[in-house]
Amino acid sequence: MNETYQLIIIGGGPAGLSAGLYASRSKLDTLLIEKAGLGGQILNAEMVENYPGFPQGISGSELGALIAQQATKYGLPTAFAEVQGIEIKDEKIVITSEGQYRAKAVIIAAGSEHSKLGVPGEEEFLGRGVSYCAMCDGAFFRDQVIAVVGGGNVAINDALFLTRFATKVMVIHRRDQLRATKVLQDRAFANPKIEFVWDSVVNSITGDKQVREVKLRNVKTGKGSSVEVSGVFVAVGLRPNTDYLRNLLTLDEVGFIPVNGQMETEVPGIYAAGDIRAGSIRQVVSAAGDGATAAITAERFISSV
Amino acid sequence: MTQPLKVDDQNFKGVVIEAKTPFLVDFWAPWCAPCRAIAPAVEELAGEYAGQVGFGKVNVDENPKVATEYGVRSIPTLLLFKDGKPVKQIVGLRPKAELKKHLDDVLTGKG
């Protein structure tokens, strides 16, 4: 396969889909490459209450599907492929699991993936009690005690959602206060099913056929402890998947892509948008804005070369 | 794209366990967004591997028995059966290329 486009967008979340919407309405010959499925991380959010235009809130899965529907309405082609690298010749060559695609400009909007705890048992019990998607798997833990690891918006949203099924949700957080937005904190502190384990990190996850126990360590006292749970929902943040870009772009220390206000990277014709760019506030609303900005900047670049 | 077969608690044995070819079962539920997101890739694979691998979908809401029997506690979970036994478990929204690799490994006897 060796196809040539004016613009290639990598990633089918809100940033990539918004870029695709703008590009296809501008009649740019565009291809959107997504590795797994359209919609992005927001699909996993139970409720989105801070995206303008939905005063009652909207479920993340519905919002993701609506953004995808709108983006593809003007004839945006999509391909399922995993991007493995980008090379610069006269044009940009995007190397994927399904072959090579060429374009004048590339918008990288591949977002980020769940950070792992990196502890023994985490991989072993994936799908057998360890989960990164409370929305998907919460219902399997009806009337059980489960743990949520993390203290940000995703962790607290997950904990609140899981109280619908679980008898008790233990939030394990490495600090003594939450990072989550105040509205969510208030809801969590008021919820009788949620219990907090402060200043603690997970040392290991153990069990037999399924998760039975989480071993913890208090970061202040160094003391070990354990809690009996049948599920562990991990929500300790996101990391960008940009390793394959290291020889093309200078990344920041975490791996995010630095851009200017026009979403331009240091390489002409290569743009980054959404969660993957350095300094993103990682919200759907900002991802959508980044995508639109990148598409318009890319369009100007394409018509100038 | 090819629609995977609807598999349920009743027909699971006949369709999956007794299948002559390897068989991929997609455990899903209507309210699970990543399940919906992975579906098009599974449908594409069903077309690409027609005749070599069977494809089916189990709605875990309506068919708790088979999901429990195979210890499915996370969806989407794809279980790849060979000779009536699950030989691969793929959990979560994974890239199509990765799914393809698992299918090829089982077909070539590597996995």
Side-chain angles (χ1 to χ4, degrees):
Chain A
M1 200 186 312
N2 199 340
E3 298 174 29
T4 303
Y5 296 87
Q6 285 178 296
L7 174 66
I8 286 175
I9 299 164
I10 303 169
L17 290 169
S18 299
L21 173 65
Y22 275 73
S24 56
R25 281 170 57 86
S26 296
K27 303 279 179 208
L28 284 181
D29 184 18
T30 306
L31 174 71
L32 186 145
I33 302 175
E34 160 61 40
K35 69 172 175 179
L38 297 181
Q41 295 280 355
I42 195 62
L43 292 176
N44 297 331
E46 187 211 357
M47 206 48 155
V48 180
E49 295 175 321
N50 53 12
Y51 191 77
F54 299 94
Q56 311 302 324
I58 180 169
S59 76
S61 63
E62 210 177 328
L63 181 59
L66 284 172
I67 296 174
Q69 191 190 333
Q70 190 174 358
T72 50
K73 188 176 159 189
Y74 300 92
L76 174 72
T78 57
F80 286 119
E82 192 162 21
V83 175
Q84 293 158 342
I86 300 173
E87 276 175 23
I88 314 277
K89 295 268 169 65
D90 294 338
E91 46 197 0
K92 279 82 186 171
I93 304 168
V94 178
I95 300 152
T96 80
S97 56
E98 310 298 305
Q100 297 190 356
Y101 301 91
R102 289 159 185 272
K104 290 199 171 100
V106 176
I107 296 173
I108 305 167
S112 44
E113 53 190 42
H114 303 285
S115 294
K116 302 216 159 132
L117 295 171
V119 300
E122 184 178 20
E123 233 163 84
E124 188 190 341
F125 288 104
L126 176 65
R128 296 191 290 139
V130 172
S131 173
Y132 302 87
C133 180
M135 277 289 288
C136 310
D137 303 336
F140 292 106
F141 297 87
R142 214 171 278 278
D143 301 326
Q144 298 174 33
V145 178
I146 52 188
V148 170
V149 188
N153 285 330
V154 174
I156 300 311
N157 255 324
D158 283 358
L160 287 164
F161 174 72
L162 291 166
T163 58
R164 292 188 195 179
F165 309 102
T167 51
K168 186 159 85 172
V169 177
M170 309 186 78
V171 174
I172 298 161
H173 187 42
R174 62 189 160 138
R175 298 183 218 282
D176 59 6
Q177 54 187 6
L178 301 174
R179 269 181 298 113
T181 190
K182 284 281 180 282
V183 177
L184 292 176
Q185 291 199 23
D186 291 347
R187 282 184 208 161
F189 291 136
N191 192 309
K193 281 189 176 178
I194 298 181
E195 204 172 280
F196 291 88
V197 185
W198 300 110
D199 298 316
S200 296
V201 293
V202 174
N203 259 1
S204 67
I205 299 164
T206 57
D208 37 52
K209 274 188 168 168
Q210 60 168 73
V211 170
R212 298 282 178 206
E213 196 179 56
V214 174
K215 294 202 162 65
L216 305 175
R217 183 172 54 84
N218 185 301
V219 292
K220 283 190 177 153
T221 64
K223 230 180 96 198
S225 66
S226 65
V227 287
E228 274 180 37
V229 295
S230 54
V232 184
F233 287 82
V234 181
V236 291
L238 300 165
R239 59 174 207 90
N241 175 17
T242 50
D243 284 344
Y244 64 89
L245 294 169
R246 282 190 189 281
N247 52 8
L248 180 72
L249 297 169
T250 316
L251 306 174
D252 76 4
E253 64 276 11
V254 187
F256 292 101
I257 305 171
V259 291
N260 64 13
Q262 280 72 52
M263 304 301 138
E264 293 170 309
T265 68
E266 60 187 320
V267 179
I270 304 242
Y271 310 89
D275 288 9
I276 203 165
R277 74 161 173 93
S280 167
I281 56 167
R282 299 203 219 168
Q283 299 293 303
V284 189
V285 63
S286 60
D290 280 7
T293 306
I296 288 166
T297 312
E299 186 185 355
R300 285 191 194 129
F301 172 82
I302 290 163
S303 57
S304 74
V305 292
Chain B
M1 288 201 195
T2 308
Q3 281 298 324
L5 286 172
K6 222 180 144 204
V7 182
D8 56 35
D9 282 347
Q10 280 72 44
N11 70 7
F12 193 84
K13 185 164 177 280
V15 172
V16 180
I17 304 294
E18 290 164 10
K20 300 258 185 306
T21 60
F23 201 103
L24 185 100
V25 186
D26 176 3
F27 290 87
W28 72 291
W31 39 262
C32 155
C35 299
R36 285 203 298 273
I38 203 171
V42 173
E43 287 165 18
E44 282 187 16
L45 290 168
E48 291 165 26
Y49 286 83
Q52 296 180 78
V53 180
F55 286 78
K57 293 182 77 139
V58 173
N59 180 328
V60 298
D61 268 354
E62 295 165 1
N63 303 286
K65 211 179 99 199
V66 59
T68 309
E69 187 178 337
Y70 288 97
V72 173
R73 301 201 100 200
S74 189
I75 48 173
T77 284
L78 305 181
L79 283 183
L80 183 53
F81 286 79
K82 196 186 178 188
D83 303 323
K85 291 195 178 63
V87 290
K88 297 263 189 190
Q89 182 196 30
I90 305 154
V91 178
L93 180 56
R94 308 299 309 161
K96 186 185 165 193
E98 188 183 318
L99 310 185
K100 230 174 136 80
K101 195 182 167 293
H102 285 297
L103 293 176
D104 290 338
D105 283 354
V106 166
L107 283 173
T108 55
K110 272 191 276 178

